[in-house]
Amino acid sequence: MLTAFARAFQTPDLRKKLVFTLGIVVLFRLGQHIPVPGVSFQNVDQCVKEAEAGAGAGLFGLVNMFSGGALLQLTVFALGIMPYITASIILQLLVVVIPRLEALKKEGQAGQAKITQYTRYLTIALAVLQATGLVATARSGTLFPQCTVRNEIIPDDSVFTTLVMVIALTSATALIMWMGELITDRGIGNGMSMLMFVSIAAGFPASLWQIKQQGSLADGWIEFGTVVACGLAMVGLVVFVELAQRRIPVQYAKRMIGRRSYGGTSTYIPLKVNQAGVIPVIFASSLLYIPQLLVQFAGSDSGGWTDWVARYFTGGDHPYYITTYFLLIVFFAFFYVAITFNPEDVAENMKKYGGFIPGIRAGRPTVEYLSYVLNRITWPGSLYLGLIALVPTVALVMFDAQQDFPFGGTSILIIVGVGLETVRQIESQLHQRNYEGFLR
């Protein structure tokens, strides 16, 4: 991988793309440290330090991770890439439900451009809602419930200040979306994934150093080394599973059109073991944040249901929480695979172009065979996702760490996936430029 990067910087065109990508990343990280107008930076800094000492930031841990820590610091990039992720997931689900969107998806590049436009509009709408909710949460003191100055984070509670803050947060989200698309068009890799990678990786050094400071064995170095070793083992496991796939062979019959012969080739359908990616973990985490959010807004003295939820679903280390989290991940893995991979469409396209799976009849038997294979490989993929996602919970018990444990399941999956895809794109572009040299 290091050799590929060294050769990439020696290629002028590829070097421009890499430098452009690094420049956008630097601007993105700079925006994550600029406070929103109307926010008392001193009070926010004090509340963040108190939250790090306790467990006050656990509720918003997922969104804070995707924003690179900017959410709890109330910077202009506080919402991060989360509105775009949510909008993309919603559009993917709606494509299956709404026939008009499904027809657009089948139109090719023009239809995909229209769906991308809808995703942008939905991102702005979600950014307005999330910005309003964030400002209201910060003003009410719910963002840092244990902080002593939680009600003084936004000193001015006028309508004008609130409107300026919402506009600033929404505009910053639109800017992040534009920066991500610039990376996709003129840089290396997928822009949104790259910004997500930067946001998550930015919190690693501080989290690792915090574990070292909290450790007691050999001044914390034993805990630090154990966490790093576990992280490297997890990265190896994730790389192995993410690259694992079941290849279903497909044979295309030879056809004569005029004097030319078409077809007669062999290929395969690659079915990944982890076909759903990190989406099931995000779905399950978001769903389990809802009862915690209701309890926090309702108050601890609201009744029996709040006490029950606070006892079993707030800490994150209770067996009820762990079991529910694991089962939700398995369920959403099957659910997402079912809506994104349609065996009937694949079988129909194969039949249309004269393709067939050796030993399997075209039509309904092909659909049943694809469904059978997909269910068989989704089981280990969903169990793998559930086990990887439970690593932060185990870390909470073993090391008494915070909710932002560095080698969490979601963060490792995203970082490894984006890293593999970026290196793969660099390698493919290097091969394009050096293909003549390989032939010699």
Side-chain angles (χ1 to χ4, degrees):
M1 185 177 69
L2 295 178
T3 306
F5 276 110
R7 285 191 295 151
F9 275 100
Q10 294 174 1
T11 306
D13 186 29
L14 204 52
R15 183 172 62 244
K16 289 181 181 179
K17 292 185 176 183
L18 289 172
V19 171
F20 180 81
T21 303
L22 292 175
I24 295 293
V25 166
V26 170
L27 292 177
F28 178 66
R29 286 298 297 159
L30 181 64
Q32 290 178 331
H33 292 84
I34 300 176
V36 177
V39 172
S40 174
F41 179 74
Q42 292 80 7
N43 292 335
V44 170
D45 187 54
Q46 180 179 345
C47 289
V48 168
K49 291 179 180 178
E50 293 182 9
E52 290 176 353
L59 178 62
F60 304 97
L62 182 69
V63 183
N64 190 50
M65 181 186 69
F66 282 117
S67 65
L71 174 73
L72 295 182
Q73 294 178 353
L74 290 176
T75 64
V76 290
F77 285 176
L79 300 181
I81 205 69
M82 200 63 181
Y84 185 85
I85 297 174
T86 308
S88 300
I89 294 174
I90 292 175
L91 259 297
Q92 285 184 353
L93 298 177
L94 291 180
V95 164
V96 185
V97 178
I98 301 177
R100 170 61 180 162
L101 293 178
E102 188 176 2
L104 283 176
K105 184 179 180 181
K106 294 180 179 179
E107 288 181 3
Q109 186 175 0
Q112 191 61 43
K114 200 69 176 177
I115 293 178
T116 303
Q117 194 70 16
Y118 292 155
T119 305
R120 294 170 184 163
Y121 294 149
L122 185 58
T123 300
I124 297 301
L126 291 175
V128 172
L129 291 176
Q130 293 183 15
T132 306
L134 177 61
V135 173
T137 303
R139 176 176 294 169
S140 63
T142 314
L143 188 63
F144 299 99
Q146 308 298 329
C147 182
T148 55
V149 292
R150 59 182 180 274
N151 294 322
E152 301 176 9
I153 292 177
I154 304 177
D156 186 6
D157 58 352
S158 63
V159 177
F160 177 76
T161 302
T162 303
L163 189 62
V164 169
M165 294 179 67
V166 171
I167 292 175
L169 291 170
T170 307
S171 303
T173 302
L175 179 61
I176 292 174
M177 185 168 55
W178 179 65
M179 292 165 65
E181 292 180 355
L182 281 179
I183 293 178
T184 304
D185 294 338
R186 301 173 57 184
I188 290 292
N190 183 280
M192 301 301 175
S193 301
M194 186 66 65
L195 295 181
M196 194 189 312
F197 173 92
V198 172
S199 298
I200 297 173
F204 269 41
S207 300
L208 286 172
W209 189 248
Q210 184 179 357
I211 290 176
K212 188 266 175 188
Q213 290 181 329
Q214 291 177 349
S216 57
L217 300 176
D219 199 19
W221 287 109
I222 293 182
E223 288 88 347
F224 179 84
T226 303
V227 170
V228 172
C230 292
L232 293 177
M234 284 182 58
V235 169
L237 173 63
V238 171
V239 170
F240 177 77
V241 178
E242 290 297 318
L243 296 180
Q245 57 181 222
R246 168 72 183 274
R247 296 181 175 182
I248 300 178
V250 178
Q251 182 74 35
Y252 284 92
K254 185 177 294 186
R255 297 179 298 169
M256 294 297 296
I257 302 179
R259 293 185 177 182
R260 292 189 177 183
S261 146
Y262 294 90
T265 58
S266 298
T267 182
Y268 60 87
I269 302 175
L271 296 180
K272 294 180 62 177
V273 173
N274 183 22
Q275 190 85 2
V278 74
I279 300 299
V281 180
I282 297 177
F283 276 6
S285 303
S286 303
L287 200 60
L288 282 178
Y289 278 140
I290 294 177
Q292 301 180 33
L293 192 63
L294 292 176
V295 168
Q296 196 159 13
F297 279 106
S300 58
D301 55 349
S302 299
W305 71 271
T306 56
D307 295 338
W308 187 85
V309 171
R311 185 181 305 114
Y312 297 122
F313 288 93
T314 300
D317 54 352
H318 196 275
Y320 285 179
Y321 180 93
I322 296 174
T323 305
T324 305
Y325 189 34
F326 184 81
L327 293 177
L328 283 175
I329 291 175
V330 174
F331 167 76
F332 281 123
F334 279 91
F335 174 75
Y336 191 76
V337 169
I339 66 174
T340 54
F341 185 89
N342 191 347
E344 294 184 359
D345 291 344
V346 176
E348 183 65 28
N349 291 330
M350 288 169 52
K351 185 178 180 181
K352 184 186 301 183
Y353 295 103
F356 62 92
I357 300 175
I360 306 296
R361 283 184 153 196
R364 192 65 195 171
T366 301
V367 175
E368 294 175 354
Y369 177 76
L370 290 175
S371 301
Y372 171 75
V373 173
L374 194 63
N375 288 332
R376 288 283 299 272
I377 66 173
T378 303
W379 269 114
S382 61
L383 297 177
Y384 145 81
L385 279 178
L387 293 176
I388 289 293
L390 290 179
V391 168
T393 305
V394 177
L396 287 172
V397 179
M398 291 180 59
F399 301 104
D400 193 23
Q402 301 298 317
Q403 291 284 356
D404 55 350
F405 187 73
F407 295 107
T410 310
S411 58
I412 288 293
L413 286 169
I414 293 175
I415 284 181
V416 173
V418 176
L420 287 174
E421 183 62 29
T422 304
V423 172
R424 194 179 294 121
Q425 288 197 20
I426 293 175
E427 280 284 357
S428 64
Q429 296 200 26
L430 284 174
H431 287 170
Q432 290 177 3
R433 288 162 175 79
N434 298 326
Y435 195 66
E436 184 179 355
F438 285 124
L439 288 177
R440 292 177 184 174

